[in-house]
Amino acid sequence: MSQGLKTAEVEAVLHLDHDDRTYTKVVSELTIRVPLAWSLADGLLLDSRSDRYRNAMRCLVRGPAVRGLKGVETNWQEWRAGEPTVGPVRDVRAADRGRARWVEVVVRAHGWVDQRNELRIGPWTVVVGRAMWSVRLAPPEPIRTATWQRIVVDPGSSGAVSVKPEARLGRDGDRLAWYPDAAAPPIEIRVAPAWPRAYAAQDDDPPFAALDEVGGLLWWLVLVASLGCVLVMLPLLPRPNRAELRARDDLRGWALVLLCVVSVVQGRNVHLGAIGAFGDNDKWQEQAAHAPWAWLTAAIAGGILLSFGRAGRAVAVTVALLGAVAVLPALQPDLFDLEPKTFVAAPGPTDLTTAAVSAAAVCSTALLFLGSTAAVRRLAADAGLYRPRRTRPRLRALLAGTVVCLVILGVCYAAAAERDWNRASWLSPHIDPGGWLPGSTSPLPDDPGYGAWHHAELRSNLLWFTHNVQNWWCALLWIPSGLAILGLLRARAQDATDATVALRGPAGPYRLLVLLLFPVMAALNIGEYTASGALSWVWFFAYLLPLAGLLRLASSGRTVGDKQLENSGEPLNRTLRVSHRPLLLDRARTYRERHAQLRRLDHGQADDATVRRRDLETRLRRLHRWRSSGGSRDHLPHDVSVVDAVLVLGPGDTWWENGVRAARFTQPVALPLTASLVWANQLRGEALTSTLHERLGLPDVLLQFLLWQVGYAAAGMVLGALWHQLPGRRGPTKAFCVALAYALPAGLFALGNWALGEEQTGLAFAVVAMLLVLTLTGILMDLETFREEHRYWRGRIARLYSIYQMRFFSVQVAWLLAQAAAIATIWQFLAETGGSPLQNSGGSQTP
């Protein structure tokens, strides 16, 4: 049936894109002009869902059978932005004009070199070695003998090391080109990519995979060690109250739980990386043997979390039953005839085996969710962040919430798996299994058929469900870690209600806890170079140390509170208390009124001709009267106004209240920016393709939206808690210091990406968004400090104009406009460029 393709005309173009990518992108465009005289040509004009269309298309673009699937064509590594373009055309040659008709088929496909394996994209095969890649033309047999008019290969910035046969440069510029006008020649190009691309292509092979997992494990161990340092320092502080003692116990218990959980979960991943469990996609059946052990690790992790959550006897009994169902198939697979290698292949196991795997996957995942909920509930309740009606959680509520989460995850997971299967098996016959061969009317011998392999793929996704969810869930353990930190901070802040500014801020281990909030809850998820997280733990310190360094510089007399009183030379922060707020607010209002009168006098607009300038200046000097800590008469520092003194206090009576207010102010401000970041990272261009095909891509969109909001709230909490210790007179200046500590690691990471030639389009937008959120939060904090004056002004803008006064107000407006312009510029750049490449390509049979 393919003999009629000898007169077909073929053109093939291949491009290797190495620049600004973690993985090299391979882009193929295959153009085939098929004569209508070919017996299967009319099938190309039918709907792409018909078997006749697939039958004809297989003859043109299929490759060698992969993964040993009889009668089913799958290619997990190839991606397409859309269906092939098919349309009838006329022969444009003068001799044959108007006589011959053709069907032109244009197939555009792409993929990423992300494994040391053979990558098949269109008619090309890329054989990936350690340091050298081989690009070969391997067209399907039916079109191999067709007339190949033009073959073009662009090896990209790395260039070609060798070319066989010899190419020539023609109308295609500097790219390698062949114009055989005959059958396909045996083309082979060897490419030596830059070492970052070569290293990234081996990220699933040992020892690189193990180093990647070890880097993630070290991040958690660094966090546990930091919490341990805090716990060692805490007994040195005097007079802890009852709430603080309970918060200390929670933090100590959580540090131990976190160590055990990440050791179990991440330890298994380190082992899998060390043995190269996922380094070869062709061994997908052998790799299935590693999936059941996730049921065991998930059950252990869930049990540890539930013991910490103090869930009660009824929950404990339920957990024991769920644990038994989850663990038994993993430890005794023979009882259920479970052989992972045959479970993921056609024709399939018995119903009992499928039911046992389904029960184990559901129960083990439910244990994770139950344990996480109980642990978060305890931390939030003991910290006073949540006030439950009952001391212990109700079993019915826990189970209901878990079932809802499992249903949502299961539906999204199954939909993504089905979508990915349809993408990979688009050439397979769906209705007639005999359609695998053109013109065949009977199935192949021993061919399970499309439906059997479709069910096998769904079972494979079911087998790996707990493994995928567990890795996704483990990355969220920073949320209860942050809650444990916040609980201890809240308990400590209750004893600092009317202390002086010098004693109000967090000090010692509590200051370290505030600093830990930054890398734990507010930091960007960065640190991977060449697709490896081996150094990801270093970025924990990259966020912690800049903020600590800025506070260290600010403690050298650079804050308003460090300014000295005029007579005694005593720092202002040793005399300023919250109880002074009413007096300072009254003086600040009078101060602004007197300055307004002075400005009118300067412009000849006096309200009363009898008012003299000297009288106003005398009244202004009286407003600066103050008393030292010893009670002697003194004056505010000469360069500190009463307005500045009020702004030092902030809107809250304690540093904890300042932090809570700042965290709340970030939420409405950050909503549009969070939506923009989620769109840019997950819903734009190629990122949308990844989201739709990743097993947990859709739930992760909602989750990332919530996590960005939590991150902004944590940054606001740090800003408010350190309000008295940050340099600057007004909120935007204090916010700039925190934003600078946020931007420095991102800038360092961007510099590394630039040196390695990797993508980084979203970093600038995230940094500027954080700066804008914190700047607006700082302004709202200043407005809230003068909240008692809201009745005197028509709106917030008028009140802000009065607080900042003319020159300061114009500076802040200009600063905000500059940030808005930067965000608009970056947004336009993101809208005009494509999304980030898929980070995990391949079928679900290898997670």
Side-chain angles (χ1 to χ4, degrees):
M1 300 297 293
S2 61
Q3 293 299 317
L5 293 176
K6 289 186 177 181
T7 59
E9 299 175 350
V10 184
E11 295 182 2
V13 179
L14 182 73
H15 173 57
L16 300 180
D17 187 1
H18 309 281
D19 301 328
D20 299 326
R21 296 185 181 277
T22 299
Y23 301 110
T24 295
K25 184 178 182 180
V26 183
V27 183
S28 167
E29 181 174 324
L30 178 66
T31 303
I32 309 173
R33 284 177 290 275
V34 180
L36 276 178
W38 182 43
S39 59
L40 301 181
D42 57 343
L44 296 172
L45 303 176
L46 299 178
D47 190 274
S48 61
R49 294 169 294 182
S50 69
D51 268 4
R52 289 182 60 193
Y53 172 88
R54 297 188 182 98
N55 193 13
M57 193 64 70
R58 276 197 304 276
C59 289
L60 303 179
V61 300
R62 77 178 181 190
V66 294
R67 294 193 173 184
L69 275 63
K70 298 179 181 179
V72 178
E73 171 77 15
T74 58
N75 189 353
W76 298 97
Q77 299 167 322
E78 184 180 86
W79 296 79
R80 300 173 310 281
E83 295 291 338
T85 303
V86 181
V89 294
R90 291 179 178 273
D91 197 323
V92 297
R93 291 173 293 185
D96 299 327
R97 184 174 298 167
R99 297 182 181 178
R101 292 179 178 273
W102 306 77
V103 176
E104 185 177 76
V105 179
V106 181
V107 183
R108 299 178 179 87
H110 61 274
W112 285 269
V113 185
D114 58 356
Q115 281 190 329
R116 282 188 57 200
N117 204 343
E118 287 192 2
L119 177 69
R120 182 166 59 88
I121 304 296
W124 302 91
T125 298
V126 181
V127 182
V128 182
R130 286 188 177 273
M132 196 74 66
W133 300 348
S134 178
V135 180
R136 301 170 184 172
L137 180 62
E141 288 296 333
I143 65 171
R144 183 183 295 275
T145 57
T147 303
W148 287 72
Q149 295 183 328
R150 173 173 166 266
I151 303 172
V152 178
V153 175
D154 181 3
S157 58
S158 296
V161 176
S162 63
V163 180
K164 296 179 182 180
E166 184 178 353
R168 60 190 178 92
L169 302 179
R171 56 181 178 272
D172 294 292
D174 296 334
R175 299 182 294 178
L176 304 173
W178 295 263
Y179 307 97
D181 203 24
I187 295 175
E188 181 175 357
I189 303 104
R190 300 187 70 193
V191 178
W195 73 265
R197 306 294 89 75
Y199 188 98
Q202 304 177 56
D203 62 345
D204 287 335
D205 300 317
F208 308 109
L211 291 176
D212 179 23
E213 299 296 344
V214 167
L217 177 61
L218 286 177
W219 193 96
W220 293 110
L221 295 181
V222 167
L223 173 58
V224 171
S226 301
L227 296 179
C229 292
V230 172
L231 292 170
V232 170
M233 299 166 61
L234 285 175
L236 303 178
L237 300 178
R239 296 180 291 104
N241 54 44
R242 182 177 300 177
E244 187 176 354
L245 290 175
R246 184 172 62 249
R248 290 184 184 184
D249 292 338
D250 287 346
L251 185 63
R252 185 180 299 106
W254 173 252
L256 181 60
V257 167
L258 183 63
L259 176 62
C260 296
V261 169
V262 299
S263 297
V264 170
V265 177
Q266 286 294 106
R268 172 178 177 268
N269 292 336
V270 171
H271 170 71
L272 294 178
I275 64 176
F278 307 121
D280 189 353
N281 275 350
D282 291 335
K283 297 181 179 179
W284 54 277
Q285 285 185 284
E286 290 78 3
Q287 293 167 1
H290 304 298
W293 293 106
W295 305 333
L296 183 61
T297 56
I300 294 174
I304 294 173
L305 290 168
L306 278 164
S307 64
F308 173 79
R310 299 172 182 170
R313 182 177 301 176
V315 177
V317 173
T318 304
V319 167
L321 294 176
L322 293 176
V325 175
V327 171
L328 191 59
L331 298 180
Q332 297 293 332
D334 295 338
L335 294 178
F336 307 95
D337 293 331
L338 175 58
E339 175 56 45
K341 183 176 180 179
T342 59
F343 184 81
V344 298
T350 63
D351 293 339
L352 174 63
T353 306
T354 304
V357 171
S358 301
V362 171
C363 292
S364 58
T365 308
L367 281 174
L368 285 179
F369 292 163
L370 286 172
S372 303
T373 304
V376 169
R377 185 183 186 276
R378 172 186 169 179
L379 292 171
D382 289 353
L385 305 175
Y386 164 68
R387 296 181 179 178
R389 296 180 180 179
R390 299 166 58 96
T391 304
R392 298 186 182 276
R394 290 186 300 177
L395 176 61
R396 184 180 302 176
L398 281 178
L399 290 178
T402 300
V403 169
V404 170
C405 291
L406 283 175
V407 169
I408 295 175
L409 283 180
V411 170
C412 295
Y413 189 94
E418 179 69 14
R419 191 179 296 110
D420 205 28
W421 167 258
N422 291 332
R423 171 192 66 83
S425 64
W426 70 291
L427 291 177
S428 301
H430 289 199
I431 301 175
D432 178 19
W436 174 251
L437 294 177
S440 174
T441 57
S442 61
L444 290 172
D446 300 326
D447 180 14
Y450 174 84
W453 281 111
H454 187 191
H455 294 158
E457 172 63 15
L458 295 179
R459 290 195 302 273
S460 176
N461 281 275
L462 175 63
L463 187 68
W464 288 105
F465 177 76
T466 302
H467 173 89
N468 293 329
V469 173
Q470 181 178 250
N471 290 336
W472 179 68
W473 161 89
C474 185
L476 303 178
L477 289 175
W478 59 267
I479 295 179
S481 302
L483 289 176
I485 294 173
L486 289 173
L488 187 53
L489 289 175
R490 182 181 183 275
R492 181 62 178 179
Q494 296 176 356
D495 293 337
T497 304
D498 194 33
T500 62
V501 171
L503 299 177
R504 287 182 68 204
Y510 297 96
R511 184 170 177 175
L512 177 58
L513 283 176
V514 174
L515 296 178
L516 286 177
L517 277 179
F518 210 55
V520 172
M521 301 192 74
L524 283 170
N525 184 19
I526 58 177
E528 290 193 1
Y529 287 128
T530 64
S532 175
L535 299 177
S536 59
W537 59 275
V538 175
W539 297 95
F540 186 95
F541 300 102
Y543 274 99
L544 182 67
L545 296 181
L547 184 58
L550 288 174
L551 291 178
R552 183 68 177 176
L553 292 175
S555 64
S556 304
R558 290 178 173 83
T559 65
V560 175
D562 291 328
K563 303 292 183 181
Q564 297 179 352
L565 301 180
E566 290 188 356
N567 297 337
S568 63
E570 188 177 20
L572 176 62
N573 57 19
R574 296 185 181 179
T575 65
L576 188 60
R577 297 175 178 270
V578 175
S579 56
H580 296 146
R581 187 192 301 275
L583 174 64
L584 286 173
L585 285 173
D586 183 65
R587 287 188 179 184
R589 180 169 175 79
T590 305
Y591 174 86
R592 302 198 307 274
E593 291 174 350
R594 298 291 183 266
H595 268 276
Q597 290 177 340
L598 279 177
R599 287 195 296 269
R600 286 194 292 268
L601 280 174
D602 291 339
H603 292 83
Q605 301 174 358
D607 296 333
D608 189 347
T610 61
V611 176
R612 294 182 300 175
R613 183 180 185 87
R614 181 166 299 185
D615 294 336
L616 291 175
E617 293 175 350
T618 301
R619 296 174 184 175
L620 284 172
R621 282 196 300 270
R622 292 174 180 172
L623 294 177
H624 284 71
R625 292 176 179 174
W626 200 249
R627 288 187 179 274
S628 65
S629 59
S632 60
R633 294 182 178 181
D634 213 323
H635 290 83
L636 293 174
H638 67 280
D639 56 346
V640 175
S641 68
V642 288
V643 175
D644 297 333
V646 178
L647 293 176
V648 168
L649 294 174
D653 291 341
T654 63
W655 56 267
W656 170 262
E657 292 183 10
N658 281 337
V660 171
R661 288 176 186 268
R664 290 175 178 173
F665 289 150
T666 61
Q667 297 306 285
V669 173
L671 280 174
L673 295 172
T674 296
S676 302
L677 285 165
V678 170
W679 174 84
N681 294 333
Q682 295 177 279
L683 300 176
R684 175 180 61 94
E686 293 173 355
L688 177 60
T689 304
S690 178
T691 298
L692 293 177
H693 291 83
E694 285 294 327
R695 298 302 179 261
L696 298 171
L698 290 177
D700 199 53
V701 171
L702 176 60
L703 181 64
Q704 289 300 320
F705 186 92
L706 297 176
L707 295 185
W708 275 108
Q709 289 293 113
V710 171
Y712 285 125
M717 184 73 197
V718 172
L719 172 64
L722 300 177
W723 189 261
H724 309 122
Q725 303 175 12
L726 291 170
R729 298 174 183 269
R730 287 163 177 78
T733 308
K734 298 177 183 293
F736 178 76
C737 295
V738 180
L740 181 61
Y742 185 85
L744 285 176
L748 182 61
F749 182 66
L751 185 63
N753 283 337
W754 173 80
L756 296 175
E758 299 194 38
E759 66 269 10
Q760 53 187 359
T761 53
L763 283 176
F765 187 84
V767 170
V768 176
M770 177 61 77
L771 175 60
L772 181 59
V773 169
L774 291 180
T775 300
L776 292 174
T777 300
I779 292 175
L780 292 175
M781 289 283 285
D782 290 342
L783 279 173
E784 185 68 9
T785 302
F786 287 86
R787 60 186 177 274
E788 296 181 3
E789 296 185 7
H790 73 278
R791 62 177 67 90
Y792 306 129
W793 305 99
R794 296 181 179 179
R796 291 188 174 184
I797 299 298
R799 182 162 32 125
L800 187 65
Y801 183 88
S802 172
I803 295 171
Y804 284 170
Q805 302 178 26
M806 181 78 176
R807 58 193 181 95
F808 295 112
F809 183 77
S810 59
V811 169
Q812 302 303 337
V813 170
W815 178 231
L816 285 175
L817 291 177
Q819 295 177 44
I823 284 184
T825 302
I826 298 173
W827 177 267
Q828 183 178 6
F829 171 76
L830 290 175
E832 293 176 353
T833 56
S836 301
L838 295 172
Q839 296 301 310
N840 296 306
S841 61
S844 66
Q845 292 172 330
T846 52

